[in-house]
Amino acid sequence: TCGGVGHLGLRARRPVPGRILQSQALEGGKKTLQEIVAAIEATQAPSGGWYHGRRVELNRYGEFTAPTNLCLLTLAQAQEAGVKVNPKVIEKGVTFLMDSSGPDGAIGYSPKAGQKGFGEAGRNGSSILVFLALGKEKDPFFPLMIDYFRKRLPTLEKGHASALLHLMTGALGNSVLGNDDWNRFWDMFGGAIVERQAKDGAIAPPVGEELRPEAGQANCEQGDRALATQALVLLLPEGKL
C-alpha cells in the first residue's frame, strides 16, 4: 500500500503538519518521487482503485478505498512537490472513491454490491485529506463526508481490520479540520495512547475489532508498527509530521 503524508497547503483550514514530500523534492529527491509515482500509476486497477499492494495473496480482496485514498494522497503531494503526475490516474481514482460512497457522506469499502456505502470514520478521514490535497473542498459531497466523519468518530478504533490505520487516518483527518476537531479527537483517543505506553517506551495498540488469525492478522498490529503509528499521532499537535 502506498502512503503519503505531506504539506497539503489546505485552503482556509489548519495546515497539515509536515512537509515530507516537499522536503524530499527540495533535497533533490524528485527522481525518487517520480519512481514512486510511476509505480503507483502502473498498479492502478482498471476500476480506478488500488489493491493492498504487490503481494498476490492480499489482492484476492480486490481493489478498495483504503489503499486508494493513500495512493491518491501520495500522487497529490508528489504533484504539489513538482513531480509530473498523470491527471487521468487521479481522476479515475477519485471516481472510484465516489462510486464507493453512500448518500450520507460515507466512503464505502468499494463500489461492489454489499461494500458500496459501507462507511467507517477512518476511511472518511483519509478521503478528507485527499479532497483537500486535490483542491476539491467545494465539491458538494465534501461537507457530507465531513459530517459523516464527525458522527462516526467514536467508532474510529473499531474500523475494519486495522485499528492502527483507522486511528492514524482519523487523527490526520481531524488535524486538518481545525482545533475543535483535533481537541475532540484527543479527548476521545489521545490520552488513551499515552496510557498504553509501557515503561520501556513501547505503546500497545488499541483493541480494535477482533482480528482473524487465519488471515495472517493476529500479530500485524503489535510491536514496532503500533509504536511508530501512535508516535506519529502524538507528533501531530507539534507540527512534526
Side-chain angles (χ1 to χ4, degrees):
T1 296
C2 305
V5 180
H7 171 63
L8 298 183
L10 303 184
R11 299 89 182 157
R13 280 193 170 87
R14 177 182 176 185
V16 166
R19 300 172 178 269
I20 293 176
L21 292 181
Q22 284 190 339
S23 65
Q24 283 187 338
L26 291 173
E27 294 171 8
K30 279 192 176 181
K31 181 179 178 181
T32 299
L33 287 177
Q34 192 67 68
E35 291 172 352
I36 293 172
V37 166
I40 293 173
E41 292 179 344
T43 53
Q44 186 178 39
S47 66
W50 277 268
Y51 300 100
H52 267 292
R54 297 183 179 183
R55 289 172 56 191
V56 176
E57 69 272 20
L58 293 176
N59 292 338
R60 66 183 184 276
Y61 295 109
E63 60 275 32
F64 60 107
T65 52
T68 298
N69 273 324
L70 298 178
C71 287
L72 285 172
L73 181 58
T74 303
L75 294 177
Q77 292 301 273
Q79 185 171 253
E80 187 173 325
V83 175
K84 185 177 180 181
V85 176
N86 185 342
K88 292 183 178 179
V89 172
I90 291 178
E91 182 180 346
K92 284 179 65 177
V94 172
T95 298
F96 180 86
L97 292 182
M98 295 304 295
D99 288 346
S100 304
S101 68
D104 58 352
I107 296 296
Y109 194 80
S110 84
K112 297 176 182 178
Q115 297 180 347
K116 178 181 173 66
F118 177 70
E120 291 181 313
R123 283 200 291 273
N124 271 55
S126 50
S127 294
I128 287 168
L129 291 168
V130 168
F131 269 57
L132 286 171
L134 294 174
K136 293 183 175 293
E137 64 269 32
K138 293 184 179 180
D139 188 293
F141 188 72
F142 188 61
L144 295 176
M145 189 190 306
I146 294 175
D147 185 58
Y148 183 91
F149 176 61
R150 287 170 172 160
K151 288 179 179 177
R152 290 295 301 273
L153 189 63
T155 68
L156 182 64
E157 291 180 344
K158 297 296 182 180
H160 175 65
S162 174
L164 289 171
L165 177 61
H166 288 274
L167 182 64
M168 185 70 205
T169 55
L172 286 165
N174 280 283
S175 75
V176 300
L177 291 178
N179 288 329
D180 288 346
D181 286 275
W182 174 258
N183 290 336
R184 181 169 177 252
F185 168 84
W186 185 261
D187 289 343
M188 288 185 182
F189 306 106
I193 295 175
V194 176
E195 290 176 1
R196 287 196 294 270
Q197 188 169 39
K199 291 182 179 180
D200 64 359
I203 305 177
V207 175
E209 69 168 8
E210 185 176 353
L211 300 177
R212 297 179 293 118
E214 71 275 15
Q217 295 176 313
N219 298 314
C220 68
E221 298 280 278
Q222 306 294 327
D224 290 345
R225 179 178 178 182
L227 174 60
T229 301
Q230 293 175 100
L232 291 175
V233 173
L234 294 176
L235 287 169
L236 278 171
E238 305 299 325
K240 302 292 186 181
L241 181 60

